[in-house]
Amino acid sequence: MANPTRTEVAESAPGVPFDPAQVAVIEQFGGRITPLEPVGAEVRGIDLSALDAPPAAVLEALEQIMAERGFLVFKRDTPLEAADFLRASCWWGGKELHSTHGMHPATPDGNRHIFRLSNDRRHGIPGVGPQWHNDGSFNTDTFSHSGYHIIRPAEKGGGTCFAHQGAAHDALSAERQAYWGRLASVNSSSGAVHPVVHEHPITRRKCIWLHLGMTGAVIEKLPDQEAFRLLSAEELTQLCREYNAILNAGFTEGYALDFEYQENDCVFIDNLAVAHRAAPGAHLPAEEQGLRIMHRSTVRGTQDLAPDFGLPLQVDIHGPSPLEHGVWQGGGIGFRWEENIPMQN
């Protein structure tokens, strides 16, 4: 797939200027927000450890900017307690934790809402999220937001890559936009059905959305017909490769960022606006890279991420295919679109 031109990307990049009114609301509360380039924004002066949440107007301004820029990183000079991180996670979206992950023995106080990740299995679960994805694709409503609290950044680096899915959609050709707009993915674990192109609930911007490590089928609505078909193995391989390529293009074309954590950083992402994956260095052994520990939180969705062309919210991916021919693969990582890449979730 050809990468978008710089002219195309300049027209579609996520660098929406901050609304002065939103900035004023944040600053009146004592905060300061500055854009990261090319995506994300940095926040200082808002205390995540405060027992009382900021006023609703402040949270609305921050959540709007997060939807436009993809994620916010709250900078801190002191460590953040796990309980404070989880409480601040509930400032966004569904405003309630929705935790479906396994729990590592080293999780503080055995808190089921903390997903503890590390490059040393004695300290956390290793190898998670190496391919582009959005959290909670096994839920019909997905997660609205996720939080990433760096407990210990590795001395030699190993962060998280973020790609703006609205800008990536805009960088597609008109032909691919139309084709992808007729597609819906089926989660390989739960059978949840999600559109490959959706309209963001806050920005109203069209965004692409596909889990490269947990897709068991993709259904196409045939153009100008009330009929559906499954993508073949060849077609699904091409789709996944194109999706991977268009997000990777953002690193050079201005809509993706390899974010390196600093001590005490706390990142919150809009899970419908940015895809993410672990940077390769995040999974290198602690003996080589230095020990890395991160806590993740996930927030309940606000609405089903549902196709708008007649498909159900969920299907039985573990049962027989309802359509003739094509990929229908339940369990584990689903369809493997490249032979030798890691696909752990």
Side-chain angles (χ1 to χ4, degrees):
M1 187 195 77
N3 286 339
T5 67
R6 293 192 179 275
T7 300
E8 290 169 335
V9 172
E11 294 172 350
S12 64
V16 177
F18 289 167
D19 183 337
Q22 293 172 348
V23 173
V25 168
I26 294 167
E27 290 180 344
Q28 287 167 8
F29 186 68
R32 187 170 81 255
I33 186 164
T34 55
L36 298 175
E37 295 301 336
V39 294
E42 180 180 289
V43 181
R44 294 182 183 270
I46 293 182
D47 186 5
L48 299 180
S49 63
L51 291 178
D52 294 326
V58 176
L59 294 182
E60 288 171 7
L62 290 169
E63 193 164 343
Q64 177 73 37
I65 293 173
M66 195 192 318
E68 293 168 349
R69 303 283 308 180
F71 68 93
L72 303 177
V73 52
F74 287 77
K75 308 297 288 189
R76 294 178 54 84
D77 297 324
T78 58
L80 183 68
E81 295 295 326
D84 296 331
F85 165 58
L86 295 176
R87 185 171 56 251
S89 299
C90 296
W91 291 355
W92 323 111
K95 301 188 184 302
E96 178 184 353
L97 296 171
H98 184 185
S99 305
T100 58
H101 49 257
M103 193 173 67
H104 190 273
T107 302
D109 300 321
N111 193 314
R112 69 182 183 88
H113 294 302
I114 294 173
F115 190 35
R116 187 173 168 97
L117 309 174
S118 181
N119 58 350
D120 184 329
R121 64 180 63 255
R122 295 171 298 179
H123 294 277
I125 298 173
V128 173
Q131 305 304 325
W132 290 112
H133 66 283
N134 298 77
D135 291 330
S137 68
F138 40 79
N139 298 324
T140 58
D141 58 355
T142 74
F143 302 129
S144 68
H145 295 76
S146 295
Y148 306 104
H149 179 210
I150 194 70
I151 305 302
R152 176 168 173 159
E155 289 85 352
K156 296 184 180 179
T160 302
C161 300
F162 299 104
H164 194 285
Q165 291 167 286
H169 175 270
D170 293 348
L172 292 170
S173 69
E175 176 190 7
R176 301 315 277 173
Q177 287 179 357
Y179 172 58
W180 288 22
R182 299 195 305 271
L183 302 180
S185 66
V186 180
N187 182 269
S188 60
S189 176
S190 70
V193 180
H194 299 300
V196 173
V197 176
H198 72 94
E199 185 179 271
H200 191 280
I202 294 177
T203 65
R204 316 316 303 184
R205 188 171 186 179
K206 285 190 175 181
C207 300
I208 57 175
W209 208 92
L210 184 68
H211 197 306
L212 289 183
M214 199 184 281
T215 294
V218 169
I219 302 169
E220 179 190 6
K221 181 186 182 300
L222 298 179
D224 304 319
Q225 298 181 49
E226 292 302 319
F228 300 91
R229 72 177 189 94
L230 288 172
L231 297 196
S232 67
E234 181 180 356
E235 290 170 318
L236 187 47
T237 296
Q238 180 183 1
L239 174 67
C240 290
R241 287 175 176 172
E242 285 188 8
Y243 189 83
N244 188 54
I246 199 68
L247 294 184
N248 284 338
F251 291 118
T252 56
E253 303 297 348
Y255 52 89
L257 173 67
D258 184 347
F259 179 78
E260 283 292 345
Y261 298 92
Q262 296 180 345
E263 190 173 6
N264 302 319
D265 278 354
C266 191
V267 172
F268 295 106
I269 74 165
D270 185 315
N271 192 46
L272 296 177
V274 286
H276 64 280
R277 62 173 172 81
H283 291 159
L284 292 176
E287 296 78 11
E288 178 180 341
Q289 200 75 354
L291 179 62
R292 178 182 187 266
I293 303 173
M294 175 186 285
H295 290 169
R296 189 199 72 175
S297 65
T298 45
V299 182
R300 186 172 300 280
T302 59
Q303 62 186 52
D304 288 321
L305 183 62
D308 61 0
F309 39 78
L311 290 172
L313 288 174
Q314 202 156 9
V315 295
D316 183 8
I317 187 65
H318 305 290
S321 169
L323 298 167
E324 292 185 2
H325 312 298
V327 175
W328 189 260
Q329 185 174 327
I333 60 173
F335 179 73
R336 178 170 282 280
W337 50 278
E338 293 284 359
E339 281 298 320
N340 299 314
I341 60 170
M343 290 177 67
Q344 179 176 334
N345 298 295

